[in-house]
Amino acid sequence: MATQTRAGRKPYDHAPPPPTHVAVIMDGNGRWAENRGLQRLEGHRAGTRNIRRVIQAFAEHGVEYLTLYAFSTENWSRPPDEVDGLWRLLAEAVDREVQDLHANGVRLLHIGRKDRLARPLREAIENAIALTKDNRRITLCVALDYGGRVEIVDAVRRMLAAGIKPDDVTEQAIAAHLDTAGIPDPDLIIRTGGEMRLSNFLLWQTAYSEYYATDTGWPDFSEVEVQQALAAYAQRQRRFGGLDPSRR
Ligand code: IPE
Ligand code: IPE
Ligand code: MG
């Protein structure tokens, strides 16, 4: 799947500019561990340890926004031990990584529900967001307890609460009430772990995103894989419903 080639087709003359925003569905941790005879949680541990090099790699390629899907609103339905273990590892990762992210010019943002995060984690995230707010090298947006549908429901609620009139309900107004307000739509969605689905990720924002899927599990998604995904993106032709640029 990662090797989807355009056999027999010429590369397009009009390569898109490099993506401004890449969003990653970090999947395949559990199978990565099971394939090695390890507990699923060991896969999540290896997964959280992979985040640092991937951020660095995307930053080096000039990507301005990187969104990482770390826990979905549906992931609560897993066995309690796995859910507890995941949150523990995610909280440890925030504590371990924040100073390094800050030193590397990373600005942190969060999308997703805040009300179900354990208070110490919520506070650690709030503090990290405040600490890194002026950093400009790359923006890292962490999707934690995130679901695309609940994000849209919450946006509609906020619009109604603000008294927005029917005529003022526009695409721009909806976008401005989503958790991602102010963040450009993702140009490229990467999914590791081999599945070909969105799993409730950025439903509104991905209307015209390019997709890239690889069988590689998230813990093994390396700098080389980052390069391969960006190279695949460079072969795409984005038309946004219009025509090939040579025929405009
Ligand atoms: C992704 O890995 C991490 C989360 C969803 C939290 P999975 O745990 O879904 O790994 P697989 O898909 O079972 O291999
Ligand atoms: C998507 O992976 C969510 C995250 C990577 C955080 P899942 O493993 O939860 O997705 P499904 O259940 O296979 O669709
Ligand atoms: Mg999965």
Side-chain angles (χ1 to χ4, degrees):
M1 271 169 15
T3 51
Q4 284 167 351
T5 52
R6 295 179 176 276
R9 287 170 67 176
K10 278 197 315 185
Y12 293 112
D13 295 334
H14 298 269
T20 301
H21 182 177
V22 176
V24 185
I25 303 172
M26 305 187 291
D27 195 24
N29 290 347
R31 282 164 287 160
W32 180 93
E34 285 160 7
N35 290 339
R36 285 162 180 74
L38 301 171
Q39 300 287 318
R40 290 179 56 83
L41 222 45
E42 291 308 313
H44 296 311
R45 191 186 309 279
T48 56
R49 295 214 175 259
N50 191 39
I51 289 174
R52 190 189 285 204
R53 71 169 168 173
V54 173
I55 298 169
Q56 198 62 31
F58 279 114
E60 276 164 19
H61 283 284
V63 167
E64 293 172 40
Y65 294 84
L66 176 66
T67 297
L68 298 178
Y69 199 11
F71 193 97
S72 75
T73 47
E74 288 72 39
N75 286 147
W76 291 102
S77 67
R78 295 188 179 197
D81 279 359
E82 180 163 346
V83 171
D84 291 350
L86 257 168
W87 283 114
R88 188 167 38 77
L89 288 167
L90 289 166
E92 282 170 14
V94 171
D95 288 343
R96 187 177 62 234
E97 302 296 336
V98 166
Q99 288 306 329
D100 188 72
L101 293 175
H102 185 43
N104 281 295
V106 179
R107 174 172 71 136
L108 189 78
L109 298 176
H110 168 251
I111 57 171
R113 289 181 59 165
K114 312 211 182 323
D115 56 315
R116 300 191 292 195
L117 302 181
R119 188 203 286 234
L121 175 59
R122 194 171 67 229
E123 289 175 356
I125 291 172
E126 284 165 0
N127 291 339
I129 291 170
L131 174 73
T132 62
K133 69 177 181 10
D134 296 324
N135 292 342
R136 285 293 172 268
R137 181 156 177 248
I138 187 168
T139 296
L140 172 66
C141 180
V142 186
L144 269 180
D145 201 5
Y146 175 85
R149 287 190 171 177
V150 81
E151 181 191 32
I152 293 169
V153 168
D154 284 345
V156 172
R157 285 187 176 156
R158 285 197 279 264
M159 291 170 78
L160 292 175
I164 292 180
K165 300 276 182 299
D167 282 353
D168 295 327
V169 178
T170 58
E171 292 188 14
Q172 289 73 15
I174 291 174
H177 287 83
L178 296 171
D179 291 4
T180 52
I183 301 174
D185 286 344
D187 301 292
L188 173 63
I189 302 292
I190 297 174
R191 183 164 187 148
T192 62
E195 310 295 354
M196 291 284 219
R197 54 179 172 255
L198 266 181
S199 301
N200 205 11
F201 190 42
L202 300 176
L203 298 181
W204 172 276
Q205 299 86 340
T206 51
Y208 272 102
S209 303
E210 297 293 324
Y211 285 83
Y212 177 86
T214 171
D215 287 334
T216 303
W218 170 252
D220 286 335
F221 189 75
S222 63
E223 295 92 341
V224 172
E225 299 256 353
V226 166
Q227 229 161 29
Q228 287 168 347
L230 294 174
Y233 176 83
Q235 299 292 314
R236 306 286 175 88
Q237 187 187 55
R238 303 186 72 185
R239 289 191 285 272
F240 300 99
L243 292 183
D244 164 344
S246 64
R247 302 174 63 195
R248 272 177 206 152

